[in-house]
């Protein structure tokens, strides 16, 4: 749920976490009909990626199956390649994004000298719809001020480039880099312009670089003014290594900025570029460090590509990247842009083109000498250093120039971090460092204590004249000596229960080898492929699954795949990484050694899916190279494509896995007879309200109708055929339920139809375009033409005293409070909580369509607007971004929209994991219903099937993410956090614990990208943080809440409810959280006690905000359908 007070930023009510920093500053086989599968790529900006060899998407061979499948798959792929090539070429207008060069692993792409290594290719998932919202009558809004996309999006995206509109992502993990603050001046954006790539926190605000002694030249000639300044402006990226700090109710990834490194270029010296970007008065129109989204690179849900406006420099910010990568081109005069590296620590040592094992090779693999580099002092004079901490400074304090063929390794003093920098071309470098003098001078440390400059990019032939320089930096060791300022962190790494890459005896040298080999390939614009199930049939209903494929778009740093390091594919890394890779299919691909070399970091749930071993076994990880991150054990995986199968689980339903307990059916029937008379308030029937609470009421009404339908079916059952499938019920349990239902009185058909009439009116009022003037909602829905979204105008609600439920909206379009103020309508107009809000609307619409199929046909395109807004699966739908809410790398959704990128240093945020799950459940159920409606219409049937598959996939992934990140239980972790596994849960999936045991709460109330807190936006009571992870009560709850976790949670929930009642005027009961307590008790198996508890809840509570999503009927049904202990 969104903040009501508009407050964002660091949040912690846990005093233990206030002082956080140290005091010293498997691939499917080609079944018949496989071509019917939907195979597609997720592209955040709507760019279609057409395949020139779509068969490769299911012709991937895992290493473990290579021998047994190779011949079969090769034949199948050859036979199908021509068909797929022609199909993709047609879709792409005869070309296609990918070339089909199977003679070499390095395939060309249409971007100058850039090449991509064996990309896994995909056909495009068809659009759910391509109907323009305006053609349905919905009015269009354009945004202004902070609600507009920032200038960082660049002309292509802001103006459409060639006149084509591009829907933009609003909830992606990297959007802090594209905030208005970052776009205006990255150098002053501070920690807001940071993102968590995992394992690094990456920023775009390098500190000002200290001027070199004696005005050492750097790039173009300096002006007189620049020669007299103390520092220079640098554009580029910052890399920080965050560490976990935790208290009892808060966990954060924190870092000391002084311990980071910056990679970029000095921009003061590029006056020619600046001059081109000044107005008539000479005023700079954009900051010298400003950048924009690279228009030559497709948008990606796994990363964003940036290019700087005033210096020819590019970077690709990608989730799971082991290296920070910056590409340096040439300036307008043809001179090389020269890299600079800064650090806030002194340098202890610099090693050039060598390793620490004495196996020293240059680029040609010839023996070489181990070479140390010495820096000049920051003053250019001799420094008499202390004996304890000696910087790598020459005796006379003067800087010398060194040649670097391939790499340099930096050990920084205070942090004890060791970094490695790779250069794609030979360079000449020199460096300067602060020292620790024998006599300390009082005063604060300077922001920059080390500077290294490339002073020349060397060439070896004419073929390199147009070649760029690619510099890649990676953390090599976070505890080099164990004597740094974060020694406690290093000590805790030894207690994790597994070795990290900093382990000197087992991992560090191997990690260095892998980084060297992988430095030749960088991820550019990764795609996410979704291979949905084929047509239903053949008894496969229980086996639906979607393959999710990460294609990392691996690009070599040199033309024609020239290597930057000797080939050293390390066998143990390949075996331990547990990864998959795409096969090119050619006869001679050198065993895809290049692809083996490409590495990315994977989280525990990726490894679980990629591994052929049992996740529950620690041996599965023994050979892997891992770091510890916020999300647990994070390990390198080889290969430029990952294929991860996501089981949809059993088909979703409006009913539970078992019928209501027979002895509870009379109570449910009695509640139904009361609840069927529920009357909607007049303002809700007129759409004069926000889009959240009324939607919960609509879903509540739908549940009443469905529960009545279930009992009616049981009542009328003749015993020969079950209307409902109860997969976890014995014949005896079903017979008892049928017998009990036969004796109860249910609401009359007329009463149910009247309730259904009201529900239909309340659902469709929001979908009648034009506002109240056209008979639609007073708070009308609009199409946002600036971002590409379905947003609500908002309501200035006015009412007469005593008639609060019969007020009206005192505004009409274009006066839209929800578009002007992020605090209106929970931030709906700013893309907060869309899936929460729309999920309830979709769920209710599914029930109306189920009972009134003709209405379902009539309103199908309009209901799809909700779905397309939050879960559009196709780049062919050019009105909405693809999968707006989804974080494919983590697996969960993000609720926070536009303002979080402007104000939150912790990035995206989501509060209620359970409402996210319910949203995707609603989409799956709506797709199921519409499949029945469209039985005779093949085209619409395919669309509805895709809706169902999308809903099921997102439900499964969100349930898994909630179990990992929001539900905290069974942890065996130590002080700093580990990754332990417990098994035997109801879904037969291992539970992965990633949090340190210092965090004592069984839930996370608010999850950010770099912080997890036990709290909510809207109330301070503990019970709310628990309860917000448990609503609403629907059939999917059984998949969501593991019995073991529920049993751990219940005692603390009950205590928190009691405390809230005692300390805050009966808060828990009056606000409906006591309803949730009864449901939670039932999840522990105590059905009878839960039924008694529910019966004691006053009827008024079901009308409270907390109870709006629940009726007494639904509460009793939920309790009575849980599994008895």
């Amino acid at each position: 749920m969104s903040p009501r007070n508009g407050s964002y930023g660091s949040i912690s009510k846990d005093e233990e976490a206030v002082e956080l920093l140290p005091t010293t500053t498997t691939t499917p086989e080609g079944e018949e009909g496989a071509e019917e599968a939907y195979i597609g790529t997720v592209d955040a900006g709507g760019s279609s990626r057409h395949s020139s060899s779509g068969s490769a998407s299911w012709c991937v061979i895992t290493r473990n199956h290579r021998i047994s499948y190779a011949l079969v798959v090769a034949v199948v792929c050859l036979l199908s390649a021509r068909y797929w090539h022609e199909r993709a070429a047609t879709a792409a207008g005869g070309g296609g994004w990918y070339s089909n060069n199977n003679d070499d692993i390095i395939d060309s792409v249409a971007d100058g000298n850039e090449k991509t290594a064996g990309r896994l290719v995909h056909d495009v998932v068809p659009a759910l719809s391509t109907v323009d919202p305006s053609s349905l009558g919905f009015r269009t809004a354009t945004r202004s001020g902070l609600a507009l996309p920032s200038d960082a999006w660049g002309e292509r995206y802001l103006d459409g480039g060639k006149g084509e509109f591009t829907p933009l992502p609003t909830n992606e993990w990297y959007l802090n880099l594209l905030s208005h603050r970052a776009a205006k001046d990255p150098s002053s954006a501070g920690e807001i312009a940071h993102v968590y790539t995992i394992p690094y926190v990456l920023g775009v605000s390098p500190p000002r670089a200290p001027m070199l002694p004696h005005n050492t030249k750097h790039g173009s000639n300096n002006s007189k003014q620049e020669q007299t300044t103390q520092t220079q402006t640098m554009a580029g990226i910052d890399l920080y290594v965050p560490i976990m700090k935790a208290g009892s109710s808060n966990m954060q990834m924190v870092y000391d900025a002084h311990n980071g490194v910056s990679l970029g270029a000095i921009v003061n010296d590029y006056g020619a570029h600046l001059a081109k970007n000044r107005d008539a008065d000479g005023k700079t129109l954009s900051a010298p460090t400003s950048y924009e989204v690279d228009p030559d690179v497709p948008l990606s849900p796994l990363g964003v590509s940036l290019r700087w406006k005033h210096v020819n420099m590019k970077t690709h910010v990608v989730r799971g990247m082991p290296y920070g990568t910056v590409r340096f081109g040439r300036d307008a005069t043809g001179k090389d842009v020269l890299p600079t590296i800064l650090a806030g620590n002194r340098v202890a040592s610099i090693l050039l083109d060598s390793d620490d094992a004495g196996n020293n090779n240059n680029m040609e693999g010839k023996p070489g000498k181990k070479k140390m580099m010495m820096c000049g002092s920051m003053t250019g004079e001799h420094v008499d250093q202390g004996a304890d901490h000696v910087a790598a400074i020459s005796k006379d304090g003067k800087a010398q120039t060194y040649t670097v063929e391939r790499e340099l390794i930096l050990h920084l003093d205070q942090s004890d971090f060791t970094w490695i920098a790779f250069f794609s071309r030979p360079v000449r470098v020199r460096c300067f460092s602060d020292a620790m003098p024998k006599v300390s001078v009082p005063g604060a440390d300077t922001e920059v204590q080390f500077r290294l400059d490339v002073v020349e990019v060397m060439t070896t032939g004419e073929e390199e004249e147009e070649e760029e320089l690619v510099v890649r930096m990676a953390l090599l060791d976070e505890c080099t000596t164990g004597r740094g300022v974060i020694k406690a962190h290093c000590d805790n790494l030894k207690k994790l229960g597994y070795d990290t890459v900093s382990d000197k005896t087992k991992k560090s040298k191997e990690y260095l080898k892998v980084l060297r080999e992988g430095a030749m390939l960088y991820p550019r614009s990764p795609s996410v492929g979704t291979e949905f199930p084929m047509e239903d049939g053949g008894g496969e209903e229980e086996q639906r699954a979607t393959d999710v494929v990460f294609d990392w778009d691996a690009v070599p740093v040199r033309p024609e795949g020239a290597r930057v390091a000797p080939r050293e594919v390390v066998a143990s890394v390949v075996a331990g990484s547990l990864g998959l890779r795409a096969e090119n299919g050619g006869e001679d691909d050198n065993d895809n050694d290049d692809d083996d070399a490409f590495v990315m970091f994977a989280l525990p749930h990726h490894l679980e899916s990629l591994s052929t071993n049992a996740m529950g076994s620690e041996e599965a990880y023994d050979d892997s190279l891992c770091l510890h991150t916020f999300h647990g054990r994070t390990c390198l995986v080889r290969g430029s494509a990952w294929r991860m199968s996501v089981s949809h689980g059993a088909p979703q339903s409006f009913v539970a896995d078992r019928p209501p307990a027979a002895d509870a059916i009379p109570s449910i029937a009695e509640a139904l007879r009361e609840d069927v008379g529920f009357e909607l308030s007049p303002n809700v029937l007129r759409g004069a309200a926000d889009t959240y609470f009324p939607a919960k009421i609509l879903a509540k009404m739908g549940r009443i109708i469905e529960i009545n339908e279930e009992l009616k079916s049981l009542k009328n059952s003749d015993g020969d055929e079950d209307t409902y499938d109860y997969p976890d019920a014995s014949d005896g349990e079903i017979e008892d339920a049928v017998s009990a239902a036969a004796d109860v009185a249910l609401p009359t058909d007329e009463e149910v139809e009247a309730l259904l009439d009201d529900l239909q009116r309340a659902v469709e009022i929001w979908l009648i375009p034009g506002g109240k003037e056209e008979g639609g909602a007073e708070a009308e829905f609009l199409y946002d033409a600036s971002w590409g979204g379905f947003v609500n105008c908002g309501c200035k609600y006015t009412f007469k005293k005593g008639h609060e439920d019969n007020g009206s909206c005192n505004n009409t379009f274009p006066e839209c409070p929800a578009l002007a103020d992020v605090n209106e309508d929970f931030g709906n107009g700013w893309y907060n909580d869309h899936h929460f809000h729309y999920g309830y609307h979709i769920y209710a619409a599914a029930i109306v369509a189920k009972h009134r199929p003709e209405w379902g046909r009539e309103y199908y395109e309009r209901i799809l607007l909700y779905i397309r807004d939050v879960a559009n699966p196709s780049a062919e739908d050019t009105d909405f971004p693809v999968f707006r809410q989804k974080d494919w790398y983590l697996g969960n959704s993000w609720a926070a929209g536009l303002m979080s990128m402007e104000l939150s240093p912790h990035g995206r945020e989501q509060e209620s994991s359970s409402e996210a799950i319910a949203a995707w459940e609603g989409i799956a159920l709506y797709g199921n219903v519409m499949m029945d409606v469209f039985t005779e219409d093949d085209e619409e049937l395919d669309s509805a099937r895709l809706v169902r598959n999308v809903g099921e996939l997102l439900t499964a992934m969100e349930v898994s993410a909630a179990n990992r990140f929001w539900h905290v239980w069974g942890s065996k972790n130590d002080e700093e956090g580990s990754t332990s596994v417990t098994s035997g849960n109801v879904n037969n999936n291992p539970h992965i614990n990633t949090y340190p045991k210092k965090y004592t709460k069984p839930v996370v109330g608010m999850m950010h990208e770099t912080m997890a807190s036990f709290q909510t936006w809207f109330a301070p009571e503990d019970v709310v943080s628990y309860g917000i992870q448990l609503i609403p009560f629907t059939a999917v709850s059984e998949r969501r809440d593991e019995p073991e976790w529920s049993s751990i949670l219940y005692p603390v929930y009950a205590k928190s409810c009691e405390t809230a009642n005692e300390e805050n005027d009966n808060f828990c009961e009056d606000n409906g959280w006591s309803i949730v307590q009864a449901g939670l008790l039932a999840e522990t198996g105590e059905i009878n006690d839960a039924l008694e508890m529910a019966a004691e809840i006053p009827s008024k509570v079901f009308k409270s905000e907390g109870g709006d999503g629940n009726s007494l009927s639904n509460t009793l049904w939920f309790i009575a359908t849980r599994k008895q202990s």
Side-chain angles (χ1 to χ4, degrees):
M1 196 174 295
S2 301
R4 293 186 176 179
N5 58 4
S7 173
Y8 289 82
S10 299
I11 313 164
S12 177
K13 63 180 181 180
D14 185 357
E15 294 180 358
E16 297 175 46
V18 172
E19 294 296 329
L20 295 173
L21 293 172
T23 56
T24 54
T25 335
T26 24
T27 308
E29 299 177 50
E31 306 102 316
E32 182 180 356
E35 68 274 8
E36 298 299 326
Y38 292 135
I39 310 170
T41 51
V42 176
D43 180 275
S47 299
S48 297
R49 294 179 175 176
H50 297 290
S51 162
S52 62
S53 182
S55 59
S57 62
W58 53 272
C59 291
V60 174
I61 308 171
T62 70
R63 178 169 295 279
N64 289 334
H65 297 141
R66 174 179 289 182
I67 295 175
S68 58
Y69 288 166
L71 292 176
V72 175
V73 174
V75 172
V76 175
C77 289
L78 282 172
L79 292 175
S80 61
R82 184 171 183 177
Y83 164 75
W84 283 101
H85 177 78
E86 291 175 354
R87 173 173 171 175
T90 301
W97 185 256
Y98 307 99
S99 68
N100 191 29
N101 176 14
N102 285 331
D103 297 328
D104 196 311
I105 187 157
I106 307 298
D107 293 344
S108 298
V109 294
D111 190 5
N113 290 327
E114 294 179 359
K115 306 210 171 193
T116 182
R119 292 208 62 170
L120 188 63
V121 291
H122 312 280
D123 194 11
V124 177
V125 173
L128 295 176
S129 172
T130 56
V131 174
D132 185 341
S134 63
S135 70
L136 296 173
F138 289 94
R139 295 194 272 205
T140 296
T142 54
R143 312 305 292 274
S144 62
L146 288 178
L148 273 171
S150 75
D151 290 342
W153 282 104
E155 292 184 1
R156 169 182 167 180
Y157 298 107
L158 296 181
D159 300 328
K162 298 179 181 179
E164 299 177 357
F165 171 70
T166 301
L168 299 177
T170 56
N171 299 65
E172 287 286 9
W173 65 273
Y174 55 73
L175 286 180
N176 278 39
L177 298 179
L178 305 179
S179 67
H180 285 274
R181 295 174 67 177
K184 182 179 180 180
D185 185 0
S187 65
S188 62
E191 65 176 352
I192 293 299
H194 287 170
V195 294
Y196 190 28
T197 64
I198 305 172
Y200 305 113
V201 168
L202 181 142
V204 287
S205 309
R208 293 188 62 82
M211 205 69 170
L212 301 179
H214 310 303
N215 192 34
T216 302
K217 298 292 185 182
H218 181 87
S220 303
N221 290 333
N222 296 338
S223 67
K224 290 183 178 180
Q225 180 181 0
E226 288 169 347
Q227 292 179 25
T228 60
T229 58
Q230 294 292 316
T231 59
Q232 296 172 298
T233 301
M234 176 171 161
I237 64 172
D238 310 302
L239 295 176
Y240 304 106
V241 181
I243 62 175
M244 171 74 83
K245 291 293 181 179
S248 62
S249 60
N250 179 274
M251 298 171 283
Q252 297 188 37
M253 296 302 285
V254 301
Y255 59 88
D256 185 335
H258 287 86
N259 293 340
V261 294
S262 301
L263 171 63
I266 301 300
V267 291
N268 289 41
D269 300 329
Y270 295 97
H273 289 282
L274 294 176
K276 292 181 179 180
N277 207 48
R278 297 177 185 271
D279 61 18
D281 298 326
K283 181 180 179 181
T284 303
L285 298 179
S286 61
T289 58
S290 60
Y291 53 76
E292 64 184 5
V293 176
D294 191 339
D296 298 324
V297 180
L299 294 180
S300 166
L302 292 173
V304 62
S305 297
L306 306 175
R307 72 175 185 186
W308 275 261
K309 295 180 179 180
H310 304 302
V311 57
N312 190 359
M313 189 169 68
K314 299 179 180 180
T315 191
H316 308 283
V317 182
V318 179
R319 270 277 169 80
M321 61 185 197
Y323 318 77
T325 303
V326 179
R327 299 160 53 197
F328 299 86
R330 294 188 172 183
D331 65 18
T333 67
K335 295 182 178 180
D336 292 307
V337 175
L338 301 176
T340 291
I341 296 173
L342 303 178
N345 284 196
R346 299 178 299 273
V347 63
S349 64
I350 307 176
L351 185 63
L352 304 182
D353 296 322
S354 180
D355 65 25
D356 58 2
N359 181 23
N360 308 312
N361 297 317
N362 56 22
M363 290 185 69
E364 288 73 35
K366 299 176 182 179
K369 294 182 179 180
K370 186 177 293 187
K371 185 166 58 176
M372 303 298 296
M373 179 177 179
M374 302 300 287
C375 297
S377 68
M378 284 296 189
T379 63
E381 303 295 335
H382 167 75
V383 178
D384 192 9
Q385 300 188 69
D388 292 338
H389 294 274
V390 179
I393 296 176
S394 62
K395 292 182 179 180
D396 61 4
K398 306 298 182 183
Q400 299 181 20
T401 302
Y402 296 78
T403 297
V404 179
E405 296 284 349
R406 183 184 73 246
E407 72 184 37
L408 57 82
I409 298 175
L410 309 169
H411 176 211
L412 300 178
D413 184 27
Q414 298 97 312
S415 66
D416 201 30
F417 292 169
T418 295
W419 297 84
I420 186 167
F422 297 97
F423 299 87
S424 63
R425 298 166 61 185
V427 294
R428 299 273 288 166
V429 301
R430 63 171 160 238
C431 62
F432 297 83
S433 176
D434 271 347
M436 179 64 77
K438 287 185 176 180
V439 180
S440 179
V441 179
D445 288 339
T446 57
E447 191 172 6
V448 174
Q449 297 188 345
F450 170 76
R451 171 173 174 169
L452 181 142
D453 291 301
V454 173
V455 297
E456 180 187 355
V457 180
M458 303 171 67
T459 59
T460 58
E462 294 182 1
E463 72 279 0
E464 295 181 345
E465 285 300 315
E466 300 301 322
E467 186 180 338
E468 65 185 5
L469 171 66
V470 181
V471 182
R472 310 193 72 196
M473 290 197 71
L475 176 71
L476 186 58
D477 196 327
E478 59 188 317
C479 299
T480 307
T481 67
R483 298 191 299 270
V485 294
I486 53 172
K487 183 178 183 300
H489 167 67
C490 296
D491 292 341
N492 284 322
L493 289 182
K494 300 174 183 178
K495 305 174 186 177
L496 290 174
Y498 62 88
D499 296 321
T500 71
V501 296
S502 294
D503 185 274
K504 303 301 180 297
T505 60
K506 299 180 181 179
K507 302 294 183 181
S508 58
K509 293 180 181 179
E510 187 175 353
Y511 184 54
L512 172 58
K513 292 179 182 179
V514 174
L515 289 178
R516 282 175 169 159
E517 182 66 23
M520 59 174 283
L521 294 164
Y522 64 87
R524 187 181 61 157
S525 178
S527 62
V528 177
T530 47
E531 298 183 6
F532 289 105
M534 66 186 72
E535 288 190 11
D536 301 325
E540 297 294 325
E541 284 289 287
E542 296 287 338
Q543 305 300 322
R544 281 198 295 270
T546 293
D547 274 7
V548 176
V549 181
F550 290 0
D551 183 348
W552 292 107
D553 188 17
V555 177
V557 300
R558 299 284 297 275
E560 308 304 327
R563 309 184 67 82
V564 298
R567 180 169 309 211
E568 287 186 78
V569 177
V570 183
S572 60
V573 175
V574 173
S577 65
L578 314 178
L580 308 180
R581 61 172 172 80
E583 299 287 347
N584 237 17
E587 294 182 3
D588 181 15
D589 63 0
N590 295 320
D591 291 328
N592 273 344
D593 284 344
D594 287 329
D595 195 53
D596 280 336
F598 180 82
V599 289
M600 296 293 287
F601 276 110
L603 298 179
H605 65 283
H606 301 138
L607 296 167
E608 176 190 347
S609 183
L610 293 170
S611 175
T612 57
N613 299 314
M615 181 64 179
S617 171
E618 286 298 318
E619 286 76 13
Y621 282 134
D622 279 350
D623 294 325
S624 47
L625 299 175
C626 307
L627 294 171
H628 182 67
T629 72
F630 191 42
H631 304 94
R633 190 173 189 176
T634 303
C635 304
L636 283 179
V637 166
R638 66 175 178 86
S640 60
W642 301 356
R643 180 181 296 274
M644 296 164 285
S645 183
V646 180
S647 172
H648 293 196
Q652 295 192 39
S653 173
F654 291 107
V655 302
D657 288 348
R658 60 201 66 80
D663 55 359
I665 286 179
S667 297
I668 298 173
E670 181 182 356
L672 282 170
R673 295 195 298 273
E674 176 69 24
D675 289 341
V676 76
F678 177 81
E679 294 184 1
L680 282 168
S681 62
N683 69 307
V684 172
L685 285 170
R686 288 184 282 104
D690 64 74
T691 56
Y692 176 67
F693 282 115
K696 294 179 73 172
I697 295 173
L698 303 188
K700 166 184 176 176
M701 294 170 65
R703 290 298 308 147
I704 294 169
I705 292 168
E706 280 305 297
I707 294 166
N708 182 77
E709 180 78 4
E710 181 179 4
L711 292 194
K712 182 179 178 181
S713 174
L714 292 170
K715 181 180 178 70
N716 296 332
S717 174
D718 58 11
D720 296 329
E721 182 178 352
D722 294 327
T723 303
Y724 292 103
D725 178 25
Y726 295 113
D728 192 36
S730 66
D731 291 342
E733 288 173 318
I734 296 174
E735 291 171 3
D736 289 345
V738 168
S739 177
D743 296 331
V744 299
L746 296 173
T748 65
D749 290 346
E750 291 76 15
E751 289 173 321
V752 175
E753 283 298 307
L755 184 63
L756 187 56
D757 286 341
D758 281 351
L759 179 58
Q760 176 181 321
R761 287 173 57 200
V763 169
E764 69 185 33
I765 192 69
W766 297 98
L767 298 171
I768 298 173
K772 57 186 175 185
E773 298 92 339
E774 301 296 329
E778 294 185 21
E780 65 178 292
F781 273 99
L782 309 164
Y783 179 72
D784 180 353
S786 297
W787 290 95
F790 198 46
V791 296
N792 194 264
C793 179
C795 179
K796 287 185 176 180
Y797 193 69
T798 60
F799 56 89
K800 293 181 180 179
K801 188 174 182 179
H803 299 277
E804 289 81 359
D805 62 352
N806 196 22
S808 61
C809 297
N810 189 27
N811 65 287
T812 57
F813 179 83
E815 183 186 1
C816 292
L819 303 188
D821 186 351
V822 70
N823 293 308
E824 291 288 334
D825 199 4
F826 300 96
N828 176 278
W830 298 68
Y831 295 96
N832 283 355
D833 300 357
H834 274 208
H835 55 329
F836 296 166
H837 295 207
Y838 300 168
Y840 287 114
H841 284 273
I842 295 164
Y843 191 97
I847 292 169
V848 177
K850 177 184 175 184
H851 294 273
R852 295 180 175 176
E854 287 307 312
W855 181 92
R857 287 178 177 273
E858 179 183 356
Y859 276 83
Y860 183 62
E861 284 291 348
R862 302 188 210 183
I863 299 298
L864 281 184
L865 291 176
Y866 290 134
I867 300 172
R868 292 165 66 190
D869 181 84
V870 299
N872 166 34
S874 175
E876 291 187 341
D877 184 347
T878 58
D879 293 306
F880 298 92
V882 178
F883 290 109
R884 182 187 305 281
Q885 318 283 155
K886 188 68 179 172
D887 188 319
W888 287 97
Y889 189 79
L890 293 180
N892 57 273
S893 303
W894 293 121
L898 302 181
M899 284 308 293
S900 66
M901 77 174 88
E902 304 292 340
L903 298 173
S904 173
H906 299 294
R908 305 288 77 70
E909 170 270 332
Q910 179 162 278
E911 193 173 56
S912 178
S913 60
S914 56
E915 287 187 294
I917 292 167
W920 313 135
E921 174 196 29
I923 291 175
L925 292 173
Y926 182 73
N928 266 330
V929 167
M930 297 311 297
M931 286 178 66
D932 291 338
V933 171
F934 292 132
T935 302
E936 304 301 323
D937 186 331
D938 289 344
E939 183 175 350
E940 297 288 17
L941 178 61
D942 286 342
S943 174
R945 179 181 293 108
L946 182 54
V947 170
R948 180 207 65 189
N949 288 340
V950 166
E952 289 185 347
L953 169 65
L954 295 180
T955 300
M957 294 185 74
E958 200 80 38
V959 166
S960 177
N963 192 35
R964 292 192 306 274
F965 303 141
W966 276 264
H967 299 182
V968 185
W969 56 284
S971 178
K972 300 175 183 178
N973 301 340
D974 59 34
E975 187 77 10
E976 201 60 15
S978 181
T979 300
S980 57
V981 178
T982 56
S983 58
N985 57 49
V986 71
N987 294 318
N988 294 317
N989 291 321
H991 175 71
I992 304 171
N993 301 296
T994 62
Y995 297 142
K997 62 183 180 181
K998 266 191 175 181
Y999 185 83
T1000 60
K1001 305 297 184 182
V1003 304
V1004 167
M1006 294 175 64
M1007 175 65 64
H1008 294 73
E1009 292 184 66
T1010 58
M1011 181 176 74
S1013 294
F1014 182 72
Q1015 63 185 93
T1016 69
W1017 285 114
F1018 60 95
E1021 286 78 11
D1022 286 359
V1023 69
V1024 176
S1025 291
Y1026 297 130
I1028 199 65
Q1029 308 305 331
L1030 296 168
I1031 61 171
F1033 288 162
T1034 60
V1036 79
S1037 301
E1038 187 156 348
R1039 306 184 191 200
R1040 181 192 73 206
D1041 302 336
E1042 297 289 351
E1044 183 177 347
W1045 175 70
S1046 297
S1047 296
I1048 293 169
L1049 176 58
Y1050 181 76
V1052 292
Y1053 189 108
K1055 179 63 176 177
S1056 68
C1057 185
E1058 179 183 352
T1059 300
N1061 284 335
E1062 292 174 352
E1063 297 181 357
N1064 195 6
D1065 196 21
N1066 214 39
F1067 174 89
C1068 182
E1069 181 174 284
D1070 289 349
N1071 287 277
W1073 300 109
S1074 54
I1075 300 173
V1076 180
Q1077 181 180 345
L1080 179 61
L1081 179 58
E1083 288 187 333
T1084 70
E1086 302 298 328
I1087 308 301
N1088 293 332
D1089 289 346
L1091 287 170
E1092 292 179 8
M1093 181 181 295
E1096 296 174 358
I1097 298 173
S1099 59
K1100 68 175 183 177
V1101 172
F1102 291 98
K1103 297 180 174 62
S1104 69
E1105 284 193 357
D1108 271 343
N1110 280 297
S1111 61
L1112 178 59
S1113 302
N1114 190 58
T1115 303
L1116 296 175
W1117 170 88
F1118 183 82
I1119 293 170
T1121 54
R1122 301 307 91 191
K1123 195 164 188 174
Q1124 186 87 36
S1125 61

